[in-house]
Amino acid sequence: EAGVTQSPTHLIKTRGQQATLRCSPISGHTSVYWYQQALGLGLQFLLWYDEGEERNRGNFPPRFSGRQFPNYSSELNVNALELEDSALYLCASSLLQSSYNEQFFGPGTRLTVL
Amino acid sequence: AQTVTQSQPEMSVQEAETVTLSCTYDTSESDYYLFWYKQPPSRQMILVIRQEAYKQQNATENRFSVNFQKAAKSFSLKISDSQLGDAAMYFCAYRSPSGGSNYKLTFGKGTLLTVNP
């Protein structure tokens, strides 16, 4: 069974540009979560999508947005990039009906903003 | 809001020895879920062990076990017979009970574990 996949592995952008990060969940999982892992800040929850809808968002500005497609894959968009957006972005998926609703993580996308 | 604290930024252990990583959390909820994740240098977060708060019995997965003290809001991870492959950043995470919009994980800052041969 394939795990959570993310693309691209690395992304380099300049300040003010837009970045698009992609995530494919484990087959059968309907929930996708996005987390930001920035140096010194730890892992911070960004967004949660389930069944195509945004269910919850963390304390991030509106220029962080995303969507979930009918096949449950997801996209994270970051507009007007700032230097402090440089981080590892992790995507996770889960099946809400499972007893623990464990989140399984992808390998991440390293975003560097110059 | 829930918070998770890992007071040991770094720990080291000799191969084959036992090490315990600490985690405390703050919550007003009575039922919740706790997890330990491992993040090796490859960056992929791997679930190590999980515990549901209403279950009194401590979870065990092979060489990994937890000491869950609900009243003290403590959730430590014990790694027995440490192996070189255990070297990684370990994160403690909290999740609210199922339902509503609270399926996010709240993570501690992590403990970097070094295993010495």
Side-chain angles (χ1 to χ4, degrees):
Chain A
E1 179 182 296
V4 178
T5 59
Q6 293 187 243
S7 62
T9 304
H10 295 92
L11 192 55
I12 299 175
K13 295 283 186 180
T14 55
R15 197 169 50 182
Q17 285 189 313
Q18 180 196 35
T20 298
L21 290 66
R22 295 180 177 83
C23 171
S24 291
I26 289 171
S27 178
H29 286 188
T30 60
S31 274
V32 169
Y33 310 80
W34 287 95
Y35 294 87
Q36 182 195 66
Q37 187 175 19
L39 210 59
L41 295 178
L43 281 141
Q44 305 284 325
F45 167 73
L46 260 168
L47 288 159
W48 167 37
Y49 292 94
D50 184 65
E51 297 283 0
E53 301 284 331
E54 182 182 302
R55 302 295 185 183
N56 198 3
R57 95 178 264 124
N59 188 26
F60 281 84
R63 55 192 188 81
F64 287 84
S65 65
R67 55 181 169 166
Q68 187 178 33
F69 299 98
N71 66 353
Y72 303 115
S73 67
S74 177
E75 205 172 77
L76 174 68
N77 295 294
V78 189
N79 294 320
L81 284 164
E82 300 180 1
L83 296 178
E84 53 265 34
D85 297 333
S86 293
L88 180 66
Y89 289 83
L90 294 171
C91 171
S93 75
S94 77
L95 181 63
L96 291 190
Q97 293 84 354
S98 63
S99 56
Y100 281 82
N101 186 36
E102 298 103 315
Q103 295 181 23
F104 296 89
F105 284 80
T109 292
R110 172 75 64 188
L111 173 64
T112 302
V113 182
L114 303 174
Chain B
Q2 294 78 25
T3 58
V4 177
T5 302
Q6 293 179 249
S7 59
Q8 306 151 318
E10 296 184 30
M11 290 281 284
S12 65
V13 63
Q14 291 296 128
E15 199 175 1
E17 297 289 305
T18 296
V19 64
T20 299
L21 308 184
S22 300
C23 172
T24 58
Y25 55 93
D26 187 30
T27 184
S28 57
E29 295 169 322
S30 57
D31 193 20
Y32 43 86
Y33 297 84
L34 296 164
F35 304 88
W36 277 100
Y37 281 89
K38 166 185 173 181
Q39 187 178 40
S42 66
R43 312 187 317 211
Q44 183 103 30
M45 294 273 284
I46 301 164
L47 178 65
V48 174
I49 201 165
R50 61 192 191 185
Q51 174 86 40
E52 187 167 5
Y54 80 80
K55 292 186 177 176
Q56 306 259 346
Q57 190 172 2
N58 289 324
T60 300
E61 288 287 342
N62 302 312
R63 298 183 295 107
F64 298 87
S65 61
V66 298
N67 183 7
F68 173 51
Q69 302 287 330
K70 190 173 183 180
K73 296 180 183 174
S74 170
F75 184 60
S76 59
L77 175 69
K78 186 170 84 170
I79 306 174
S80 303
D81 185 25
S82 297
Q83 299 175 2
L84 295 177
D86 295 333
M89 183 71 86
Y90 285 81
F91 291 95
C92 180
Y94 173 102
R95 183 173 75 73
S96 293
S98 300
S101 61
N102 266 339
Y103 283 92
K104 68 175 185 181
L105 291 172
T106 301
F107 287 90
K109 296 285 190 194
T111 297
L112 181 63
L113 178 66
T114 303
V115 180
N116 301 309

